[in-house]
Amino acid sequence: MIYLDNAATTLIKPPTVPAAVSRAIKTMASPGRGAHRPAMAAANEVFNCREEAAELFNVEEPERVVFTMNATHALNIAIKSMAHKGSKVLISGFEHNSVVRPLKAIGADVIVGGTELFNPEGLLRDFERKISGAELVVCTHVSNAFGYILPIYEVAELCRENSAPLIVDASQSAGILPVDMKKLGAAFIGMPGHKGLLGPQGTGILLCGEKGRTLMEGGSGSDSISEYMPEYLPDRMEAGTHNVCGIAGLRAGIKFVKEKGTENILKHEKNLLRIMKKNLAGTDYELFSGDDDCQCGVISVRSPKMDCESLAQELYKRDICVRSGLHCAPLAHKSAGTIETGTVRFSFSPFTSQEQIVKCCKVLRGIV
């Protein structure tokens, strides 16, 4: 099997990830729920994962690393902490439903800027025109549908100049591109654990520049006498029992990323991207690709001879796993002009090989 759906979930993990999950299941209880050895082992594992994440993302205090169920959970906390009904919120034209739907649900006044694919300069010009009066800016770092790298550090500077708080969706960049909390100065940065960080599904991280509002309330293992959630992080945002087994696996994934180096992971994925573009050049496939500087290891294609769902099924019959459709990002497809058809998306990981890409391209040429 050739697995090329890593923008949804990385399937192939470092061996240390399942080993860490298995160890946690067998030896760890819940942090903050006792002073016995299984509870303390869990507390140590969770804190060590916070420290690993804080170091990778340049967060000053590990307590500002909050664990969530996924990126959607993290972004909902962030958005509902910063926006309310009627808030003027500027977003990019490539946001995922994890951003768009919470904003619509609370009745925010959403302004869309930067809708041209692979045009970071155009996005910045459009944001500069539209940011006046914005109470919040929410921007993805990388489009999940097209691999388009948005100029997030320049967006952050523009936000500072206009006193607009920034929320960053790092779902497709964490573990692949540099995500620097201190340099970005963001109010919040949300990300999943199961994509570029190579952790288990059901894990996520919210990096907190602000204290934020609670999305859920419940047991925190601290201040049990109070009827209200603690005021301090991370306890304020982590109601209920932690996913200790998932966090243990996430820690192993983060350690792998740090040892490998995000610069090497990005270099590997961009090389695979070049190989795929070269091997499909001259075919009938429409490739959505940009310059090397503004695209990472995700590429979408369309065929004039076959709809996207049928093409994905043909690939699956040949043991190639991809994703077709709108990728939970209809706004991105509207911006790219693919809203009526969707695309077939190919996405890579550190474990994707050049041979797999060459074979996939050969299959694609044969299908059409």
Side-chain angles (χ1 to χ4, degrees), residues 90 92 120 123-125 127-128 131 136-141 150-169 178-189:
L90 176 61
S92 84
L123 180 141
L124 289 172
R125 287 194 299 269
F127 266 40
E128 194 167 5
I131 198 171
L136 176 66
V137 175
V138 188
C139 190
T140 188
H141 194 174
L150 280 68
I152 197 67
Y153 289 93
E154 291 83 353
V155 168
E157 180 60 33
L158 190 61
C159 289
R160 281 190 288 272
E161 291 171 0
N162 289 271
S163 301
L166 172 66
I167 295 172
V168 177
D169 178 1
V179 177
D180 189 317
M181 180 68 170
K182 194 171 182 180
K183 187 175 177 182
L184 284 165
F188 295 98
I189 302 177

Side-chain angles (χ1 to χ4, degrees), residues 2-11 321-323 345-348:
I2 298 175
Y3 185 82
L4 298 175
D5 194 20
N6 296 283
T9 294
T10 51
L11 179 65
C321 300
V322 297
R323 185 175 176 189
R345 183 185 68 188
F346 302 81
S347 49
F348 316 136

Side-chain angles (χ1 to χ4, degrees), residues 84-200:
H84 52 79
K85 185 175 181 179
S87 293
K88 180 181 177 182
V89 182
L90 176 61
I91 68 173
S92 84
F94 295 91
E95 299 306 315
H96 190 275
N97 278 341
S98 296
V99 167
V100 177
R101 286 178 173 174
L103 287 170
K104 292 293 184 179
I106 62 177
D109 177 15
V110 179
I111 311 297
V112 180
T115 58
E116 189 174 341
L117 187 58
F118 302 119
N119 185 358
E121 293 81 8
L123 180 141
L124 289 172
R125 287 194 299 269
D126 204 17
F127 266 40
E128 194 167 5
R129 286 193 297 268
K130 296 177 177 179
I131 198 171
S132 177
E135 298 171 58
L136 176 66
V137 175
V138 188
C139 190
T140 188
H141 194 174
V142 174
S143 164
N144 73 307
F146 299 100
Y148 169 29
I149 303 172
L150 280 68
I152 197 67
Y153 289 93
E154 291 83 353
V155 168
E157 180 60 33
L158 190 61
C159 289
R160 281 190 288 272
E161 291 171 0
N162 289 271
S163 301
L166 172 66
I167 295 172
V168 177
D169 178 1
S171 294
Q172 301 298 332
S173 60
I176 301 164
L177 290 165
V179 177
D180 189 317
M181 180 68 170
K182 194 171 182 180
K183 187 175 177 182
L184 284 165
F188 295 98
I189 302 177
M191 63 191 71
H194 65 278
K195 298 187 183 185
L197 296 178
L198 304 170

Side-chain angles (χ1 to χ4, degrees), residues 112-287:
V112 180
T115 58
E116 189 174 341
L117 187 58
F118 302 119
N119 185 358
E121 293 81 8
L123 180 141
L124 289 172
R125 287 194 299 269
D126 204 17
F127 266 40
E128 194 167 5
R129 286 193 297 268
K130 296 177 177 179
I131 198 171
S132 177
E135 298 171 58
L136 176 66
V137 175
V138 188
C139 190
T140 188
H141 194 174
V142 174
S143 164
N144 73 307
F146 299 100
Y148 169 29
I149 303 172
L150 280 68
I152 197 67
Y153 289 93
E154 291 83 353
V155 168
E157 180 60 33
L158 190 61
C159 289
R160 281 190 288 272
E161 291 171 0
N162 289 271
S163 301
L166 172 66
I167 295 172
V168 177
D169 178 1
S171 294
Q172 301 298 332
S173 60
I176 301 164
L177 290 165
V179 177
D180 189 317
M181 180 68 170
K182 194 171 182 180
K183 187 175 177 182
L184 284 165
F188 295 98
I189 302 177
M191 63 191 71
H194 65 278
K195 298 187 183 185
L197 296 178
L198 304 170
Q201 295 93 316
T203 59
I205 289 174
L206 179 65
L207 307 179
C208 299
E210 302 286 342
K211 183 170 65 174
R213 298 177 184 172
T214 59
L215 189 65
M216 295 167 51
E217 294 77 36
S220 60
S222 59
D223 280 350
S224 293
I225 197 169
S226 174
E227 295 179 344
Y228 301 95
M229 290 299 289
E231 289 295 320
Y232 50 84
L233 293 171
D235 300 48
R236 179 171 176 77
M237 298 297 186
E238 293 180 351
T241 301
H242 292 77
N243 178 7
V244 174
C245 304
I247 291 169
L250 176 57
R251 181 189 173 203
I254 291 173
K255 288 178 72 173
F256 176 90
V257 168
K258 289 168 69 176
E259 290 164 6
K260 188 84 171 173
T262 54
E263 67 281 1
N264 294 319
I265 293 171
L266 180 62
K267 182 179 178 181
H268 171 70
E269 293 192 9
K270 284 193 172 187
N271 184 51
L272 298 177
L273 188 64
R274 285 190 290 269
I275 291 170
M276 189 160 195
K277 290 195 285 188
K278 181 180 178 181
N279 276 269
L280 292 179
T283 67
D284 287 337
Y285 287 107
E286 180 183 8
L287 274 62

Side-chain angles (χ1 to χ4, degrees), residues 3 31 36 43 56 61 65 114-115 177 205 207 209 240 247 252 295 299 313 315 356:
Y3 185 82
H36 49 75
L56 178 60
E61 302 167 344
V65 176
T115 58
L177 290 165
I205 289 174
L207 307 179
I247 291 169
Q295 188 171 16
I299 186 167
Q313 279 299 112
L315 288 165
Q356 288 176 324

